[in-house]
Amino acid sequence: MTMIAFPAGFRWGTATSAYQIEGAARTGGRTPSIWDDFCAVPGAIAGGEDADVAVDHYHRYGEDVAWMARLGLDTYRFSVSWSRVLRPDGTPNPAGLDFYSRLVDALLEAGIDPWLTLYHWDLPSHLPGGWLSRDTAFRFAEFATLMHGVLGDRVRIWTTLNEPWCSAFLGYASGEHAPGHTDPGEAITAAHHLLLGHGLAVAALRAADPQAQVGITLNFGPVEPADPEAAADVDLARRIDGTANRYFLDPLFTGAYPADVVADLGPLGPDRVIQDGDLAAISAPLDLLGVNYYTTSMVRAPRPGEHADRPLVRGRVLASPHVTAPEAVTVSRAIPVTAMGWEVDPEGLYRLLTRLQREYTGPAGVPLFITENGAAYDDDRVLPDGTVDDSDRIAYLDAHLQAASRAVADGVDLRGYLAWSLVDNFEWAHGFGRRFGILGVDTDLRRTPKSSAHWYKEVVRSSRIEP
Ligand code: FCB
């Protein structure tokens, strides 16, 4: 095992999200979210799957917490199903709130800090207009206040949104995610309302509890031009970086959308929806920035007459070229890929962390946490002793932890690492066929540790005793 060095107090854990693991879709008064609706659309999800049962975490949370404790983890990032805790008539649902209260108690009893993400994509279906409605941002802040009222005595770390790029661009421009719209202007509108909702929720949480740790989690899609000398490739990479990365970082850290992206957007741009005070709310100071990192990509401009890639593929070309850029060709770099087709580029994590520290979080004095990192592979093998051999996943995690520890050695203020994911789960449009867990799930829903779980336990243990 590679020795890795992280500062004292470094957090170690795993991450999940409500819709991907809970199941119990119609239990305890839960009503549908946009993901329940989207799963019912023919062809939306591979194999026509849905997450009605998922991995039944709603009933098996005790077992899942016990696994985390056995692995020696100290932090668990989970999300709340908004439509489980809030009824369509706007009143709180006690049964739903009670589930999260029991989960949080179980975590604390096991010595694990709960890290609560308010929004991981499962918007209640009953909110009219979804993220196209400005009102949803205000409803989101009320939801934050509700959750803090119930759990704020025990939950100290809060993430407002998980990956608003996905909610906006995959949900409203490419149609790969709920609610499945394909209108680039809608993506820009949704992105602004998501960010506004974030800002209003930060204010609500601060008002309720000045000591709470509040942040947001972004997904980053570092992108490089295939030919750094070719102006068209360089411009394409700039546009993609602009929409995927700077379009969220800039308003959060500087209080303005990036001018070059706004210019590219022309009449689709955010000026249509920005109101006085919005950007001040959005750029409220943060206590932390969550980084979700899986891969990077290399792009080039298509040659005349060449057929370009499908422009939007999650995790690869993290941008929406049909919003701000011409079509892109993703250049395969002849490096290993995961089952998602995502190229394995640990060095990209080093570059990302050092860039964030240099350009955004360092100047703002905001620490970084890796809130997701992991890989799906198809070749998990069940061994005679009942464990699952997943050496590819171990190699992936190990390489990324090494890259992260080098970033720390080079001055990046990185304070924790949460592996995606604790358990195999519903991988959105890919259904259950893409497995990211360090625990596997049998057909009878029993959890089985993969070798990566044992390996991770050892990494965490040794990092606590090594200086
Ligand atoms: C991220 C999501 C998470 C999971 C991983 C693989 O984009 O936040 O829910 O699907 O990708």
Side-chain angles (χ1 to χ4, degrees):
M1 177 180 307
T2 327
M3 293 321 260
I4 40 171
F6 288 104
F10 194 80
R11 285 187 180 277
W12 290 103
T14 56
T16 63
S17 86
Y19 191 68
Q20 294 178 277
I21 64 165
E22 284 179 5
R26 280 172 281 278
T27 303
R30 182 183 180 276
T31 61
S33 73
I34 57 173
W35 269 93
D36 297 79
D37 302 341
F38 192 58
C39 289
V41 175
I45 311 295
E49 292 178 315
D50 61 48
D52 280 3
V53 177
V55 295
D56 198 31
H57 172 77
Y58 182 83
H59 296 109
R60 292 164 200 259
Y61 72 92
E63 195 185 330
D64 290 337
V65 172
W67 271 113
M68 290 183 244
R70 244 172 263 153
L71 297 180
L73 306 179
D74 55 56
T75 304
Y76 175 52
R77 173 176 173 256
F78 63 97
S79 78
V80 172
S81 159
W82 186 347
S83 64
R84 196 185 284 293
V85 299
L86 209 82
R87 298 188 180 114
D89 68 2
T91 59
N93 175 21
L97 290 166
D98 183 57
F99 165 67
Y100 294 105
S101 191
R102 285 182 281 123
L103 170 64
V104 164
D105 285 345
L107 289 164
L108 291 172
E109 265 163 42
I112 299 164
D113 289 339
W115 177 323
L116 190 152
T117 297
L118 285 164
Y119 186 72
H120 200 125
W121 307 354
D122 45 357
L123 189 72
S125 306
H126 59 75
L127 288 177
W131 288 110
L132 299 179
S133 165
R134 185 175 169 89
D135 196 50
T136 298
F138 292 85
R139 300 289 83 78
F140 181 63
E142 289 167 12
F143 165 53
T145 302
L146 170 71
M147 293 316 300
H148 189 276
V150 176
L151 301 176
D153 57 336
R154 288 157 290 160
V155 173
R156 309 306 305 145
I157 317 176
W158 299 77
T159 287
T160 54
L161 305 174
N162 177 71
E163 302 188 355
W165 179 87
C166 291
S167 303
F169 287 90
L170 301 183
Y172 291 89
S174 80
E176 277 174 70
H177 280 189
H181 296 196
T182 51
D183 180 333
E186 285 191 3
I188 298 301
T189 301
H192 185 67
H193 293 155
L194 281 151
L195 284 168
L196 177 61
H198 155 82
L200 297 173
V202 170
L205 292 169
R206 297 247 185 265
D209 180 359
Q211 305 305 321
Q213 295 286 298
V214 183
I216 187 170
T217 277
L218 302 178
N219 56 318
F220 294 100
V223 56
E224 284 177 51
D227 178 357
E229 306 292 318
D233 292 5
V234 172
D235 191 57
L236 194 55
R238 172 193 66 75
R239 287 167 181 263
I240 293 173
D241 176 57
T243 342
N245 306 318
R246 292 183 285 116
Y247 200 71
F248 295 88
L249 285 165
D250 283 20
L252 290 165
F253 284 92
T254 72
Y257 285 104
D260 61 320
V261 183
V262 173
D264 292 341
L265 286 167
L268 293 182
D271 292 346
R272 295 173 290 117
V273 284
I274 299 173
Q275 295 189 11
D276 281 354
D278 286 4
L279 285 157
I282 291 168
S283 57
L286 298 172
D287 299 313
L288 60 100
L289 176 66
V291 175
N292 288 359
Y293 176 85
Y294 292 92
T295 188
T296 60
S297 50
M298 179 175 276
V299 292
R300 67 171 172 76
R303 306 207 170 96
E306 186 183 21
H307 176 66
D309 283 356
R310 184 158 174 253
L312 266 165
V313 183
R314 184 156 69 99
R316 296 202 71 190
V317 181
L318 283 180
S320 180
H322 65 276
V323 178
T324 66
E327 291 182 307
V329 174
T330 306
V331 178
S332 161
R333 287 167 292 179
I335 52 179
V337 294
T338 69
M340 298 293 281
W342 298 348
E343 292 184 340
V344 178
D345 183 11
E347 191 58 30
L349 177 60
Y350 175 87
R351 290 196 307 274
L352 171 64
L353 292 171
T354 48
R355 176 195 183 187
L356 290 172
Q357 173 83 25
R358 192 174 56 244
E359 297 180 16
Y360 294 96
T361 52
V366 172
L368 292 162
F369 287 82
I370 294 173
T371 42
E372 286 181 30
N373 174 240
Y377 286 107
D378 287 333
D379 59 351
D380 294 359
R381 284 183 303 118
V382 182
L383 301 178
D385 67 358
T387 59
V388 179
D389 176 28
D390 62 341
S391 38
D392 286 351
R393 184 169 293 102
I394 293 177
Y396 180 99
L397 296 172
D398 184 58
H400 286 77
L401 280 171
Q402 289 181 51
S405 80
R406 267 191 301 115
V408 171
D410 291 348
V412 172
D413 186 7
L414 178 70
R415 307 248 180 116
Y417 178 90
L418 310 179
W420 184 272
S421 180
L422 174 68
V423 64
D424 287 343
N425 59 49
F426 178 76
E427 180 46 39
W428 308 111
H430 299 276
F432 294 98
R434 296 284 179 272
R435 299 183 306 270
F436 282 84
I438 59 171
L439 301 177
V441 182
D442 299 339
T443 42
D444 62 2
L445 295 172
R446 221 161 24 90
R447 280 53 167 152
T448 309
K450 303 181 188 178
S451 22
S452 56
H454 299 297
W455 171 86
Y456 194 41
K457 175 181 182 176
E458 215 24 57
V459 167
V460 172
R461 196 190 59 78
S462 60
S463 105
R464 291 207 184 103
I465 48 180
E466 301 303 328

